[in-house]
Amino acid sequence: MKFRLFCVALAIGTLVVPGRGGSAQEQFPYQIFERYLAPLAQNVGMPGLSAVIVQGGAAGSRGRIVWKGEYGYADLERKIPATIDTPYAVGGITQAMTGVLIGVCADRFGFAIDQDIRNFAPSFPVRETSVRQVLAHATDGRFHYDPTLYSSLTPVVESCTKQSYRQATAVEILERVTPPMRRSVPGLDLARPEGAAALAQFDADTVARYQSVLREVAVPYRIDAKLRASRSEYPSYGLDAAGGLVTTAYDLAQFAIALDDRTVPVPLSFSTLDKMWSNAIFRVSGVDIAMPTGLGWFVTNESGQRLVWTFGHIQDASSALIVKIVSPATQSSPEKRLTLIMLANSGGLAKGYDLENANVTSSPFVKVFLRLFI
């Protein structure tokens, strides 16, 4: 295992990209990334991986998918290939959706995010903590990644939208994105007995679509020390502010395109989005401390570029990663955005990479991506 990781590190360290010029050279970095994808996936024992890269649109135009990668199997036993339309349980990626929903609350309903979280979640364990702090994983003004505390934002969304969290996710995100995120489902449990009550929140056609998608969810796998995959199970889990969404790489690409679209402010305004994607700052003992998070997203500066990212990890089942490079505007060119989206049916995109401590550049996938595109 160590030898394989050494080979990966050596390959990344020696990766050289010549200068880009014409259209063939513009495609070259994508070809190189694709060349590295399969070996990287094999070296962490991934059964299946679905990935896309989205390029943000220039002024007056929409973004688009500029590359896709489909590796391995969504179901090893039945040899069903993983594609960008394969549904995955994406865990903590749901937190970015929560950030967007609270942004909608601020834009449409004038919601004040500096309110005390106990106004909505009375049993929250830390006194004098604002909604803003919970969104930034900074309950005491210092960064600490804690999905359990983050789930306390569920009643915040429900209070301001006057809908259940599931309905708000479906109405304000899954259906508002253009085209709609039709292979995304607000809760893995909607195909299980424990989700029966939640199904009553949706009409018959929507329920039928959700259950059809859930029958195709990638099979989860546990990877042992010798990189052998064995079938595992997803936890019995619904949907809340911290996790539970089921979606595809293609649908998340449409989500990324919608957020990057400067022509139509859907689902939230540009000014709110900019605040969401900027490092949160809190005063502690008279000192301003910048968090490695914005509001619902991580925010990291690397080589003069801003990285806006989020991840999900369901132990021994699945993992997910979204990393957006935001290149600052210059006198000669506007701000540019390039987004990598990766979904896997094992923990290989997250396990062991210290993502919970805001260290996204420890991922070999991210290292290659940044080396090629920054």
Side-chain angles (χ1 to χ4, degrees), residues 9-330:
L10 182 62
I12 293 169
T14 57
L15 195 159
V16 176
V17 181
R20 299 172 211 153
S23 58
Q25 288 181 328
E26 288 174 357
Q27 287 301 310
F28 184 76
Y30 302 109
Q31 295 168 2
I32 294 296
F33 188 76
E34 185 168 352
R35 185 183 304 171
Y36 276 83
L37 181 66
L40 286 173
Q42 289 170 1
N43 275 280
V44 293
M46 283 185 182
L49 174 66
S50 303
V52 296
I53 295 177
V54 174
Q55 182 175 293
S61 66
R62 270 181 70 82
R64 60 193 178 93
I65 295 174
V66 291
W67 173 85
K68 68 176 183 179
E70 300 167 329
Y71 166 81
Y73 297 100
D75 185 328
L76 275 172
E77 292 75 20
R78 294 193 293 164
K79 301 302 180 189
I80 298 175
T83 75
I84 64 170
D85 290 315
T86 298
Y88 294 83
V90 296
I93 295 289
T94 311
Q95 296 177 28
M97 303 290 178
T98 300
V100 169
L101 287 171
I102 293 182
V104 170
C105 289
D107 282 348
R108 193 181 307 161
F109 306 114
F111 180 81
I113 67 171
D114 288 314
Q115 295 183 65
D116 195 310
I117 187 69
R118 286 188 173 183
N119 292 339
F120 310 93
S123 61
F124 191 83
V126 183
R127 294 181 57 193
E128 298 180 355
T129 299
S130 68
V131 171
R132 184 192 300 273
Q133 287 174 306
V134 181
L135 275 169
H137 285 289
T139 53
D140 59 355
R142 295 177 176 85
F143 171 73
H144 176 66
Y145 182 77
D146 190 332
T148 300
L149 294 182
Y150 198 94
S151 66
S152 298
L153 293 167
T154 305
V156 176
V157 171
E158 294 177 337
S159 176
C160 69
T161 65
K162 309 303 181 187
Q163 304 175 87
S164 73
Y165 185 88
R166 294 181 198 263
Q167 290 172 313
T169 300
V171 171
E172 301 295 347
I173 298 179
L174 306 185
E175 299 297 334
R176 289 197 74 196
V177 167
T178 304
M181 299 168 67
R182 303 294 287 177
R183 287 179 63 77
S184 299
V185 180
L188 192 65
D189 63 329
L190 293 180
R192 298 177 174 183
E194 58 266 30
L199 288 175
Q201 300 174 29
F202 304 100
D203 62 47
D205 289 344
T206 300
V207 168
R209 174 163 56 83
Y210 285 167
Q211 294 187 325
S212 175
V213 171
L214 291 172
R215 285 193 288 271
E216 300 177 33
V217 171
V219 173
Y221 291 94
R222 177 183 298 105
I223 309 301
D224 68 16
K226 295 184 178 180
L227 304 185
R228 295 173 300 198
S230 59
R231 191 170 182 141
S232 61
E233 296 290 335
Y234 289 113
S236 178
Y237 192 73
L239 181 76
D240 63 23
L245 184 71
V246 173
T247 188
T248 69
Y250 178 84
D251 274 6
L252 285 175
Q254 304 315 308
F255 175 65
I257 289 169
L259 294 181
D260 283 339
D261 189 352
R262 293 280 166 170
T263 63
V264 181
V266 173
L268 72 172
S269 71
F270 308 138
S271 61
T272 297
L273 185 63
D274 287 341
K275 293 173 185 175
M276 187 177 300
W277 286 352
S278 298
N279 296 94
I281 298 175
F282 298 103
R283 180 161 286 253
V284 178
S285 301
V287 178
D288 288 339
I289 300 177
M291 299 297 108
T293 47
L295 303 178
W297 301 73
F298 289 85
V299 182
T300 301
N301 292 305
E302 181 70 21
S303 301
Q305 314 288 307
R306 183 170 25 144
L307 307 182
V308 179
W309 59 281
T310 184
F311 78 98
H313 184 202
I314 301 176
Q315 184 72 30
D316 293 328
S318 65
S319 52
L321 188 61
I322 301 176
V323 181
K324 183 186 297 292
I325 301 172
V326 182
S327 299
T330 65

